[in-house]
Amino acid sequence: MLRRFLLALLVPALAGATLFAQTLTEEEEVRANPGRPTLSTPATLTPVGYLQFETGTLTARHSPEFSTQTNINEVIKLSISRRLQWLAAFQPVAEFRGDRPTEVTGIGGVSAGLQVMLHGGEGSCPTVSLSYTRSIYGGAAPGFDIGSALNSGLILVSADVHKFHYDANIFANDVKQGRTHRGQFGQSLSISHPLSARFQLTGELYHFTQPFVRGHAADSLLALAFSPNKLLVFDGGFSRGLTETSTRWQVFAGFTYLMPHKLWR
């Protein structure tokens, strides 16, 4: 099921990117702005009026909530102005196994939100944004070491310094267990550097409090991205947990695709 779903999304993406990459006119400067595979989200927005799809699969092992989990994740973004972006995230399929040798397949969580750019930077002058996301459906799959936030607020900062690009996020989450709400706070920093015109290497560190277990989750991430053209970016990599209450291993792969046609003029 995972392979069929990814193939159904990947084939149109490749076909569309190949067909339109050489025929763009006024869209020549339009390019994909991936938010995956890092936890950090760019403060910059996607091109106005263009749908962007961020599709991937992830396999995680040895988490406090499960022994293994594999899911498909999808994020859809659409900027309706130069300062405002709408986004939705969901997991169409999630398969997990707990301490008992029983596998469960279901639908993961669904959330939606907005990102507002407060200051548009350029070069080393940072772009600064705010983001808010609300969980619409919690899903059947257990959350990872940082859990699933009911409400999530972010401060986002992005800039380029000496051929390095960084995305820094500060998180303030409302997490819920039963009827109890608690605050969760986190920080993430991803740094990217181009290896060539088409390849890019990214490293990331992030930390979150775990209010219900009174612990801390910290992870390191390494990813490689390949961009055959401005509309399409492939990625793959892994994440390693650094604390006892972190998910020990996460392996992921996916792609970001910017639709070549503007939805309105």
Side-chain angles (χ1 to χ4, degrees):
M1 185 180 295
L2 297 178
R3 289 194 296 267
R4 290 176 181 176
F5 183 85
L6 287 175
L7 187 62
L9 290 173
L10 183 58
V11 171
L14 287 171
T18 303
L19 178 62
F20 293 105
Q22 303 300 324
T23 59
L24 294 176
T25 54
E26 65 182 53
E27 294 88 356
E28 281 296 331
E29 297 303 317
V30 172
R31 64 175 58 246
N33 182 26
R36 59 162 296 112
T38 60
L39 184 70
S40 302
T41 301
T44 53
L45 307 186
T46 56
V48 177
Y50 294 84
L51 273 172
Q52 178 170 288
F53 296 88
E54 301 174 7
T55 306
T57 181
L58 180 149
T59 296
R61 294 183 179 273
H62 306 298
S63 174
E65 298 292 333
F66 54 83
S67 59
T68 63
Q69 181 180 152
T70 299
N71 64 55
I72 293 174
N73 46 82
E74 181 74 43
V75 177
I76 302 174
K77 296 179 180 178
L78 176 63
S79 292
I80 58 179
S81 74
R82 298 180 66 181
R83 298 279 182 175
L84 182 61
Q85 177 178 268
W86 170 85
L87 59 93
F90 56 96
Q91 292 180 349
V93 179
E95 182 180 86
F96 61 93
R97 178 183 295 179
D99 295 331
R100 299 178 180 180
T102 302
E103 291 187 355
V104 179
T105 301
I107 300 175
V110 179
S111 60
L114 296 171
Q115 181 171 325
V116 180
M117 186 170 65
L118 303 180
H119 177 264
E122 186 176 351
S124 60
C125 180
T127 298
V128 181
S129 296
L130 294 178
S131 176
Y132 168 75
T133 305
R134 167 76 179 187
S135 175
I136 300 173
Y137 172 66
F144 285 15
D145 42 30
I146 63 176
S148 299
L150 180 62
N151 298 284
S152 182
L154 282 78
I155 301 174
L156 311 95
V157 180
S158 299
D160 297 291
V161 180
H162 300 299
K163 295 186 179 181
F164 287 88
H165 175 83
Y166 73 83
D167 297 315
N169 292 175
I170 298 176
F171 297 78
N173 297 335
D174 168 28
V175 292
K176 183 181 179 182
Q177 191 173 88
R179 295 185 177 181
T180 304
H181 292 256
R182 290 185 180 175
Q184 179 188 58
F185 303 95
Q187 310 82 33
S188 67
L189 174 65
S190 69
I191 299 177
S192 303
H193 182 69
L195 300 179
S196 66
R198 298 186 183 274
F199 286 92
Q200 179 174 274
L201 184 65
T202 300
E204 181 181 47
L205 291 172
Y206 61 86
H207 160 267
F208 279 85
T209 60
Q210 297 170 305
F212 288 106
V213 298
R214 297 182 179 180
H216 294 266
D219 290 69
S220 61
L221 178 148
L222 188 66
L224 182 67
F226 168 68
S227 180
N229 55 58
K230 297 179 181 180
L231 303 178
L232 184 63
V233 181
F234 294 98
D235 65 74
F238 67 91
S239 176
R240 178 72 164 92
L242 303 177
T243 66
E244 292 183 357
T245 53
S246 299
T247 301
R248 190 169 302 171
W249 288 104
Q250 299 179 47
V251 180
F252 48 83
F255 63 92
T256 298
Y257 177 55
L258 185 73
M259 295 292 288
H261 291 298
K262 199 169 186 177
L263 298 183
W264 63 83
R265 296 293 177 181

